[in-house]
Every structure is written in C-alpha cells, then in structure tokens.
C-alpha cells in the first residue's frame, strides 16, 4: 500500500513531515517498508534555457548548444530533435545521476566536443514512460528553478498491510489510526447524498447471495469521458498507478482513498436491462451438451478466464452472458472508453473467502481482489456509491438515477463486555479509564455502560471495518499499539527457583562424551532413519521377516536396520554425488537384531570416505591406521578398557574386507568393536564408490568404568630421572598380530617400561617367506635411580623373553 503525504493530509490535519509520519506508523504497528522521496532523486536537476544550437561538426544528428544554467553558460552536446534556441528545458550537471539511464554524468568528449552536462527528457528522469525529446517547459520559469518543485514530486510511503487490517488499504483508515496516535486531527467529511433524477433503467438480481449478499448501483447518463484532470493523474501516478480515463480513475481513487472497490459498466454495451449476480455455470453455447464446457470471460487485462461454479460471476442478457468476475475484475465487453456516455456504477460486498479462492485459482491479483479477499467494510456500499457519483458528476457531468439496492449487508461485529483494568493485567500499562476509552473511541469502537451487576463495566462494539476484533485481548492490543509499545513497562519478572537439574546416567554421559570426541576428531554427525530397505538389511546380516514393518513410511524404509553403517554409506554416497566425496560421518543410535527388547543395541558408528584431492606428495598416512587411531582415542574417551582389548583378525562379518579389517574384544563372547575397510561388493550393492572405512562400537558391550571414590586426584607422578629408549627387531609369522608383541613387551616390567611403539614392519631380503620383521621402540623410565648397565641388560632380556613367548625371535 502506497500513499503520498499530501493525500494523507486530505484526511489528517498535521504538521508532521514524511519521516515523522513513517515513525509514528511504525510505532502504531503499521510496518513501513520504504519512504520513497523523488524530490531527493531530482535534487541535482534545474531549469535551463538554450541560447543557441549549432550542428555538431562531426555528427549530423547532434547539436552543440550554448545553455544558460544555474552554473553559468555551459556548452552541451544534445541529440534531441527538438533542441533549439530559446527552449526552456531541464539541465543535469556533471556528477548527477540520471535515474532513467542508470548513469552518472562525467565530463567527456562526444565526437570530439566536450559536453559539460546534459539536457534531459521526462523519461530520463522517470517522470514519464516515453519521451520524444528533451522536456519543454514554459518559458516564464526562471533559470535555476529546482525541477522537483515543478513536477510536484513528493515523498511516498510504502508499507505492508497485515491481513487482519483491510481498513489500512485506504488512506482514510491510515489517517484514523494516526489521529488516535496523536499525530494530527482527523478530518470528518459527510458524504452528501446525491438525489436521483429518474428510476434506474438497470435492475439487479442476486442469484448467489452467499457470494454477494448486497449489491447497490445506479446509472449516470450523459457523461463525458476523457483524460483525468492533472491533480487526479498526479495522485495516481505517484503511487504507481497508470491513469486511464476519468471514469476508471475515479474508481481507482476511491479504492485507495476509502478501501472501497467499485466498477463502472458502459450501459450501451450491456445486453438487456438486468444484471444478475450468480455462480459460474456451463457456457450457453454448450448448455445443450451433457457435461458442457464451463463459461469463459475475457477480462479487462485482455486474458481469458474460465469461471468455475465456486466463482462469483456478474452477467447480463438475462444472466446468460458473463461480463465480470464479481469482486475480482470486470470484463472487456462492457469496459468504458472515451465514447462512453451512459454508465452503471457497481458498489457491492463480496464474500472474502470466495474472492480469495477465485484469485488463487485463476491467478488474478487485482486491487479489487486484494481488498475484497481481506474484507471490505460492508457499510461502505452506499457511501462509496454516493462518493463515486459526486466525483463523476464533477469531472464528467451527467445526470444520476435513483440507487438500486438489493440484498442486505452481513451483520455488524457483535458487542462484548470489557473491563479497562484488563489493559494493565495484560500489558502492565497503568492507563486511566478515560485514556483507554479515548483511544478506542478514536479508532471507531462504540463504548456503552454495561447493565448493573455485570462484572465488566463496558460493552464495546467494534466498528464495521474491524470485523476481526472478537474479544478483550484484541482491544488491549489496540490500546497498547496506539499508546506506544515503547510505553510498556520494563519491570523484570520475579525470580523463580530453578528446578533441580537432571543427572545423566553413565550411558547418557558416554553418548555425550562420544559425540564431542568424534566432532573434535573432524567427524560430522548424521541423523538417519532407524529403518532401511529389506534387501539392504539382508546384506548386513538382517532382513529377518520379524523386523519388516507392516506400515512403512516409504517403500525403501520397510525394515528395521541391523547396523548403522548402510545408512552412513548411502549418506556418504549422496554427498559424493553432489561433489563432496571426502566425507567423515558418525551416528549414535539403535540397531535391531531381533524382535525382542533385548535384541536392540545402541551403537556408535563412524564412516570415512578418504577421497582427498590429488597431490604430488602422495596419499600420505594409510587411512586404515588413521581410522584405528581415531577409534582408540574414542574408546579411551568413553572409558573403555583399551589396554585389555584383544585384536582378532579374520573373524569379521561379510560386509568387511577380509584382509583389511579386525575386531576388538574382551574375549570371544564379548565383541566390542568391528572396524576396517568395507567390502567393495557391499559398496557396489549400495551404489557407493570406494574405498570406505568405518567402525561400529556396541555401546552395550563396553563395560562401565568402576565407580570413583570421593578422593581428590593426587599430584602428578613425574620421575626426576632421564628416560632412555631401546630398539628391538623381532621376526614373527606374517599372520601374527603386531599388537600381541607390543602388549608382551609392555608387560615385561610395568614399573619401568613407560611405552612401546612400532616404528617399522619389514618383509623382504633377509627375512624368510611367510615372516615379517617388526621393529619396536621401548621407552624406559627409571623411578628410583639411574639404571646401571647390568640393570638395563636384565630388563632387555626380560623383554626378549616375553616376546619370544608370543612366537617372536630377536632378529640377528
């Protein structure tokens, strides 16, 4: 909704400028989107006079003009055909931004002659749609006069109208709210009754009162149509409407001024003397055919629309020919033009829901449809018709008929009881009853005293244009917004005792710790369905009919998942398909191994798809060992007994790569983790590109840490003696897990050996086939005294003996 300041002042006496008006609207709940100030845009442009115009020496269609400007005499190159000596026009100096061209003027030569500015047309300043040349102004206007004042450019306020405030779609409604907000004094105009000189030759019949309960109209004969006067064209142009002719411009003016849409029909183009309001029906041409085609209408926008039975249709010819969509748009067949001499003015009220559905179904968003869909004031039917009559008589002349009034407007809003003390109860605003009553009265609410003995002292009746007001809270909102939301008290709410916080169970604490640890390691959390496709579940050891859903949410989510890995694999594949192949995902959630509650497990699953960008330095560290390092870190964070875990290879299930996977267990019956590279066959079945690696921790199999005593942690046990290292190389069978050697060496003397690390694995010359050489670095940390050579040799012997028990022999 747009309006100008001068238009607002037709309804509101105020000294406020446009920015003060916008601020007051915002504080009163009207959401101002923008204040458009064309005067600021036209500020650089002034009136100038051409002293002489000579043909350009290097271009036949250009002239070199000597121009008297506010900056003195300037030489300006101009290509307009009407540029001539003595012409008064518009001057743009160097540095001015020309809005119609979207350029800022700079001093530059035009075919060898420097132009010191520009002579402008109306279209170049966006004052008109088209121009044949530079603007011609009356010669009596002094040079240097600002152009903004000549064209009456004034600020325009553009604001958003909420659906519950159709009265804001008229400038008069905006003025009413601003007057209540003490921005000015509302002007009250009595709309004079225009007495009819003859009975209306056009009658109206309502065949669909549920769509159009009331319809008023009258004929004005002997009108003279044509272009509207300058004041009316200027008012419509300022808000972005294109003037058409006097009759149409009057209806547009009233729609924006009073939120009252109207329509005018050319009586000479009507067939018959009766207008019928009905629902859409089968076209007359196909009525004899069973299931004939619905009727269609060529509207004023030149488009053809098909009218359904749920659309309100205005028809003539005894109700057979559609001539308009009621409340939406008139038809082309009865439109007014400059030959029109007799008109019929329509002022009706249409059901908002019908109009909203018609606009949505047909894709029509006219000004009338926009207003009727939100609810036009039903009491404005006759006043709107009288106002249109007066304006048409003033602008077009003619003689009016008596008014035809058919039907009855819908009931006015129902009154309800109200206690002004409710304002303080809801908002905290401490306003006296007189102030509350004044605000509601200025907004159009009628306040009467309630009968004796009633709890609430007031009976409030909403005005006809505020049909959305239904209760006490609505009135409180009206008072609060007019008084100003900045008047709301800022008293702090009373302190409320905080409820005791919940205590996490050990399982919940582990889940939280695992989530944070994996995020810190660079994994992104995924939340996937607890379902999967039955064929996918079968690949991962599931797919049992007992876990198939009777009513799945989707055809490919018909089975409870036996593992979280397939969902992560598919998520990584979707990322890769969209250009993000290097994925690291994790999920913590349930898996289902049977139909009983004991067959549900909670797992921590992670997946890595190592597809880093190619680099000259190579792939870097083996991804499998990086995954194992992440797994070990995670297990340590959640308190798993990492030192006691056994590494078992060759026992993983089918979806793991047989040579690049393993399990961690506390014994054959307590398998805690499976990890490694996923089998290419499984990835292919899920349409995923390898390699992909992952792990799945069964959280239920991880023993809970022993309860902590209440003792505080002691001081760090740091040795005062220098540590030393010794390197060993052991030859073992190729199938022997290296971890067994590490654990054996570390257990040779737990008091002195601080750490054991593998730093090389060798196969080749000097090592028999089927064997490998494993190099260990042992960190020895003395505790009580520096070790003598004999003590070191004894410790070395114990390390060798411990590893030999695992099948290793010291490499010579």
């Amino acid at each position: 909704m747009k309006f100008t300041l001068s238009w607002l002042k037709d309804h509101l006496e105020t000294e406020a400028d446009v920015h003060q008006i916008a601020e007051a609207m915002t504080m009163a709940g009207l959401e101002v989107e923008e204040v458009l100030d064309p005067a600021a845009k036209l500020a650089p442009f002034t009136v100038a006079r051409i002293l002489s115009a000579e043909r350009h020496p290097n271009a036949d269609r250009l002239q070199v003009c000597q121009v008297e400007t506010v900056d003195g005499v300037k030489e300006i190159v101009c290509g307009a055909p009407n540029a001539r000596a003595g012409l008064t026009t518009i001057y743009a100096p160097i540095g001015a931004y020309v809005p119609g061209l979207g350029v800022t003027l700079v001093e530059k030569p035009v075919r060898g002659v420097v132009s010191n500015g520009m002579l402008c047309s109306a279209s170049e300043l966006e004052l008109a749609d088209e121009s044949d040349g530079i603007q011609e102004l009356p010669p009596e206007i002094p040079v240097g006069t600002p152009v903004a004042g000549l064209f009456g450019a004034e600020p325009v306020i553009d604001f958003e109208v909420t659906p519950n405030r159709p009265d804001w779609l008229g400038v008069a409604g905006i003025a009413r709210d601003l007057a209540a907000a003490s921005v000015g004094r509302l002007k009250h105009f009595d709309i004079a009754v225009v007495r009819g000189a003859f009975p209306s030759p056009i009658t109206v019949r309502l065949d669909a009162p549920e769509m159009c309960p009331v319809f008023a109209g009258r004929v004005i004969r002997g009108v003279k149509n044509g272009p509207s006067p300058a004041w009316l064209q200027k008012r419509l142009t300022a808000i972005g409407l294109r003037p058409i002719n006097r009759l149409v411009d009057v209806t547009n003016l009233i729609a924006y001024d009073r939120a009252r849409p109207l329509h005018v029909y050319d009586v000479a183009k009507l067939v018959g003397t009766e207008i019928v309001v009905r629902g859409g029906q089968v076209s007359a041409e196909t009525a004899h055919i069973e299931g004939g085609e619905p009727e269609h209408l060529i509207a004023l926008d030149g488009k053809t629309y098909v009218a359904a039975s749920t659309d309100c249709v205005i028809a003539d010819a005894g109700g057979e020919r559609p001539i308009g969509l009621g409340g939406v748009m008139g038809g082309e067949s009865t439109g007014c033009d400059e030959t029109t001499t007799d008109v019929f003015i329509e002022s009706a009220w249409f059901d908002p829901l019908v109009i909203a559905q018609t606009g949505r179904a047909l894709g029509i968003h006219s000004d009338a449809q926009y207003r009727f869909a939100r609810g036009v004031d039903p009491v404005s039917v006759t006043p709107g018709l009288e106002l249109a009559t007066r304006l048409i008589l003033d602008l077009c002349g003619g003689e009016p008929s008596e008014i035809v009034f058919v039907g009855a407007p819908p009931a006015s809003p129902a009154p309800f009881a109200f206690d002004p003390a409710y304002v303080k109860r809801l908002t905290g605003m401490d306003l006296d009853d007189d102030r509350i009553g004044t605000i509601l009265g200025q907004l159009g609410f009628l306040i009467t005293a309630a009968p004796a003995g009633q709890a609430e002292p007031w009976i409030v009746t909403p005005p006809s244009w505020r049909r959305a007001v239904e209760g006490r809270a609505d009135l409180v909102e009206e008072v609060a917004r007019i008084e100003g939301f900045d008047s709301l008290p800022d008293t702090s709410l009373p302190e409320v005792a905080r409820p005791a916080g919940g205590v996490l169970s050990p399982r919940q604490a582990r889940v939280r710790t695992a989530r944070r640890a994996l995020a810190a390691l660079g994994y992104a959390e995924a939340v996937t369905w607890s379902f999967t496709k039955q064929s996918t579940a079968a690949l991962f050891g599931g797919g049992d009919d007992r876990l198939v859903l009777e009513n799945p949410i989707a055809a490919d989510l018909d089975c409870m998942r036996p593992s979280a890995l397939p969902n992560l694999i598919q998520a990584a594949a979707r990322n890769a398909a969209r250009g993000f192949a290097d994925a690291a995902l994790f999920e913590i959630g349930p898996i289902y191994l049977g139909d009983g509650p004991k067959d549900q497990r909670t797992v921590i699953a992670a997946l890595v798809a190592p597809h880093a960008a190619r680099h000259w330095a190579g792939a870097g560290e083996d991804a499998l060992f990086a995954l194992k390092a992440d797994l070990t870190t995670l297990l340590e964070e959640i308190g798993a007994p990492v030192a006691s875990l056994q590494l078992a290879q060759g026992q993983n299930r089918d979806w793991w790569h047989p040579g690049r996977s393993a399990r961690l267990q506390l014994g054959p019956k307590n398998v805690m983790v499976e990890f490694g590279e996923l089998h290419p066959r499984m990835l292919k079945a899920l349409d995923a590109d390898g390699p992909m690696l992952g792990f799945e921790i069964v959280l239920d199999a991880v023993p809970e840490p022993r309860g902590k005593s209440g003792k505080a942690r002691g001081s760090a046990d740091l040795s005062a003696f220098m540590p030393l290292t010794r390197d060993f190389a052991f030859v073992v069978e190729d199938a022997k897990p290296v971890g067994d050697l590490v654990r054996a060496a570390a257990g040779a003397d737990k008091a002195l050996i601080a750490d054991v690390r593998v730093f090389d694995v060798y196969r080749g010359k000097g090592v028999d086939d089927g064997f490998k050489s494993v190099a260990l670095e042992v960190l020895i940390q003395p505790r009580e005294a520096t070790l003598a050579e004999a003590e070191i040799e004894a410790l070395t012997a114990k390390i060798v003996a411990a590893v030999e028990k695992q099948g290793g022999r010291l490499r010579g």
Side-chain angles (χ1 to χ4, degrees):
M1 174 69 186
K2 296 179 180 179
F3 65 93
T4 62
L5 184 58
S6 64
W7 195 341
L8 177 68
K9 288 184 176 181
D10 284 350
H11 299 277
L12 186 72
E13 288 185 6
T14 180
E15 298 299 325
D17 61 26
V18 66
H19 298 290
Q20 292 170 328
I21 293 292
E23 176 66 20
M25 289 175 64
T26 301
M27 297 307 297
L30 290 83
E31 184 181 346
V32 176
E33 292 190 338
E34 188 178 10
V35 176
L36 306 170
D37 191 356
K41 183 173 61 176
L42 296 176
F45 305 95
T46 55
V47 173
R49 183 173 291 107
I50 301 177
L51 301 177
S52 65
E54 304 291 339
R55 178 169 294 181
H56 193 290
N58 301 318
D60 293 338
R61 296 185 179 182
L62 298 178
Q63 298 186 76
V64 179
C65 303
Q66 302 299 320
V67 183
E68 181 185 0
T69 73
V70 68
D71 301 322
V73 177
K74 298 286 184 178
E75 186 173 73
I76 298 175
V77 178
C78 181
N82 62 334
R84 61 187 184 274
L87 177 66
T88 302
T89 186
I90 299 173
Y91 159 68
I94 297 297
Y97 176 78
V98 183
L101 301 178
V103 299
T104 300
L105 299 181
V106 295
E107 186 176 332
K108 65 177 183 179
V110 180
R111 294 290 184 93
V113 177
V114 175
S115 182
N116 299 287
M118 178 179 175
L119 302 179
C120 303
S121 66
S123 62
E124 288 167 339
L125 300 187
E126 295 184 341
L127 298 172
D129 293 333
E130 297 180 357
S131 298
D132 294 331
I134 57 176
Q135 182 69 28
E136 299 192 19
L137 299 174
E140 61 270 17
I141 300 177
V143 171
T145 302
V147 170
L150 294 178
F151 289 91
E154 60 176 321
V156 175
I157 296 177
D158 184 4
F159 74 101
E160 183 68 27
V161 179
T162 55
N164 66 324
R165 294 304 305 267
D167 55 309
W168 284 345
L169 291 169
V171 178
I174 302 166
R176 183 188 303 111
D177 276 30
L178 289 174
S182 303
V183 179
R185 187 177 66 85
L186 186 66
K187 298 179 182 179
H188 294 280
F189 297 99
D190 293 328
I191 300 177
V193 174
V194 181
R195 298 192 178 277
F198 57 93
S200 172
I202 304 297
T203 60
V204 178
R205 186 176 87 230
L206 296 181
D207 286 353
E210 71 282 0
M211 296 181 175
C212 176
V214 60
F215 191 109
R218 78 186 329 162
V219 170
I220 303 179
R221 63 190 182 192
V223 301
K224 184 177 181 181
N225 201 9
S228 295
W231 70 266
L232 180 51
Q233 293 193 38
K234 174 185 172 184
R235 180 154 289 183
L236 297 179
T237 302
I239 62 172
L241 294 180
R242 180 174 61 88
I244 299 175
N245 55 53
R246 296 173 193 169
L247 293 171
V248 176
D249 291 351
V250 164
T251 63
N252 287 336
L253 176 70
I254 296 175
Y256 277 82
D257 189 73
R258 303 299 176 101
R260 161 38 64 183
L262 304 164
H263 188 64
V264 287
Y265 300 90
D266 190 329
V267 173
K269 298 177 182 178
L270 293 173
V271 178
T273 59
E274 184 181 45
I275 287 178
V276 179
V277 183
R278 57 171 174 79
Q281 62 186 23
V282 175
S283 66
E285 293 81 0
T286 61
H288 62 285
I289 304 173
E290 183 177 355
E293 297 180 359
E295 62 188 348
H296 62 272
L297 168 76
I298 302 176
L300 287 172
D301 61 0
K303 298 179 181 179
T304 301
Y305 299 99
V306 176
S309 60
T310 54
D311 300 326
C312 184
V313 172
I314 312 296
D316 64 0
E320 294 296 325
R321 185 181 74 145
I323 59 173
L325 292 168
V328 179
M329 188 174 289
E332 190 178 71
S333 61
T334 56
C336 296
D337 53 34
E338 294 191 359
T339 64
T340 299
T341 57
D342 299 340
V343 296
F344 180 79
I345 310 173
E346 167 198 298
S347 180
W349 191 88
F350 299 94
D351 183 80
L353 184 59
V354 172
I355 303 306
Q357 290 174 338
T358 297
R360 188 179 301 112
L362 300 180
I364 302 177
H365 303 287
S366 65
D367 286 339
Q369 188 272 340
Y370 186 77
R371 284 163 172 76
F372 277 118
R374 281 157 177 76
V376 171
D377 180 8
V379 179
S380 68
V381 170
T382 301
L385 180 59
E386 296 283 15
L387 181 59
T389 301
R390 173 53 56 197
L391 284 171
I392 291 175
L393 293 178
D394 290 345
L395 298 179
C396 305
E399 185 180 29
S401 75
E402 297 173 352
I403 291 177
V404 177
F405 192 94
V406 184
S412 297
F416 52 86
F418 179 69
D419 186 349
Y422 199 59
V423 172
K424 185 173 183 179
R425 179 181 170 187
L426 276 191
T427 67
M429 290 181 172
D430 194 5
L431 304 177
D432 57 43
D433 293 359
D434 288 343
R435 175 56 180 159
I436 295 172
T438 299
I439 291 174
L440 294 177
Q442 289 179 318
L443 293 175
F445 293 87
L446 177 63
I447 301 175
T448 57
Q454 186 166 313
E456 288 85 359
W458 291 356
I459 298 296
V460 179
T461 303
S464 58
W465 58 84
R466 295 298 307 276
R467 305 181 68 83
V469 176
E470 298 177 343
R472 299 181 301 171
D474 294 330
L475 295 183
V476 172
E477 181 183 359
E478 294 299 300
V479 173
R481 71 180 183 84
I482 295 301
E483 184 65 20
F485 292 120
D486 55 345
S487 300
L488 290 170
D490 56 0
T491 305
S492 300
L493 292 173
E495 284 288 337
V496 177
R498 294 185 179 182
V503 179
L504 295 179
S505 67
R507 170 71 60 82
Q508 292 170 327
R510 274 186 164 174
V511 168
R512 175 180 290 185
T513 301
R515 183 175 286 114
R516 293 177 175 176
L518 285 167
L521 290 168
Y523 291 76
E525 184 173 12
V527 180
T528 69
W529 295 106
S530 293
F531 324 116
T532 188
K533 197 173 183 180
Q534 186 177 9
S535 58
T536 301
L539 293 173
F540 286 79
D544 194 311
D545 290 340
R546 295 174 301 170
L547 295 177
V548 175
L549 303 175
E550 292 183 0
N551 186 25
I553 61 174
D556 57 349
L557 296 173
D558 59 348
C559 184
M560 306 304 291
R561 65 183 183 185
S563 169
L565 289 171
N567 288 355
L568 292 179
I569 293 170
Q570 291 171 326
R574 286 192 296 271
N575 277 272
R578 289 161 176 78
F580 300 95
D582 194 18
L585 307 174
F586 79 91
E587 181 175 9
I588 304 175
I591 62 172
Y592 306 87
L593 307 177
D595 58 354
K598 294 183 179 180
D599 293 323
Q600 179 177 324
R601 302 282 190 273
T602 300
V603 299
I604 305 173
L607 182 85
V608 177
H611 293 82
R614 292 182 296 178
H615 193 270
W616 61 269
E621 187 180 2
D622 190 343
L624 181 57
F625 289 108
L627 178 77
K628 184 183 176 185
D630 292 344
L631 173 60
T632 302
T633 300
L634 175 60
L635 290 172
E636 290 173 346
E637 287 289 333
I638 65 175
V642 177
S644 303
L645 293 178
Q646 301 171 357
L647 183 74
Q649 291 182 273
Q651 301 179 30
N652 278 15
R653 288 172 285 189
D654 293 342
W655 53 90
W656 297 104
H657 193 296
R660 292 178 60 80
S661 63
R663 61 170 52 170
L664 295 176
Q665 58 190 33
L666 288 172
K669 295 183 178 180
N670 189 0
V671 179
M672 190 183 302
V673 187
E674 288 188 341
F675 72 97
E677 184 174 330
L678 290 155
H679 202 292
R681 172 172 48 82
M682 296 296 175
L683 298 180
K684 183 177 181 182
L686 296 179
D687 196 23
D689 294 330
M692 289 188 183
L693 304 95
F695 60 77
E696 195 165 46
I697 304 172
V698 180
L699 200 55
D700 308 74
V702 181
E704 293 184 2
R706 296 176 181 176
K708 298 180 180 179
S709 64
K711 297 179 180 179
R713 179 181 297 178
S715 58
D717 183 17
L718 302 178
S719 175
F721 301 98
M722 181 73 77
L724 66 150
T725 60
R726 285 294 183 268
D727 294 343
F728 301 87
F730 296 99
V731 177
V732 295
E733 293 182 356
D734 207 6
K736 183 67 175 177
V738 174
D740 292 348
L741 306 186
V742 173
R743 280 189 292 273
D749 190 327
K750 294 182 179 180
L752 291 175
I753 298 177
D755 190 22
V756 179
R757 187 177 68 87
V758 179
F759 68 88
D760 186 36
V761 177
Y762 171 75
R763 299 176 183 85
K765 186 177 180 181
V767 177
D768 296 339
D769 293 340
F771 289 83
K772 60 187 175 185
S773 173
V774 179
L776 304 179
E777 180 186 55
V778 178
L779 178 65
I780 302 170
Q781 177 63 66
R783 293 292 176 179
E784 298 177 356
T786 302
L787 297 180
E789 189 65 30
E791 293 173 312
I792 296 174
E793 291 296 334
L795 179 58
T796 300
K798 291 170 65 176
I799 294 172
V800 172
V803 174
E804 285 179 347
K805 290 181 180 179
Q806 294 293 326
R809 58 180 175 83
L810 194 63
R811 183 179 174 188

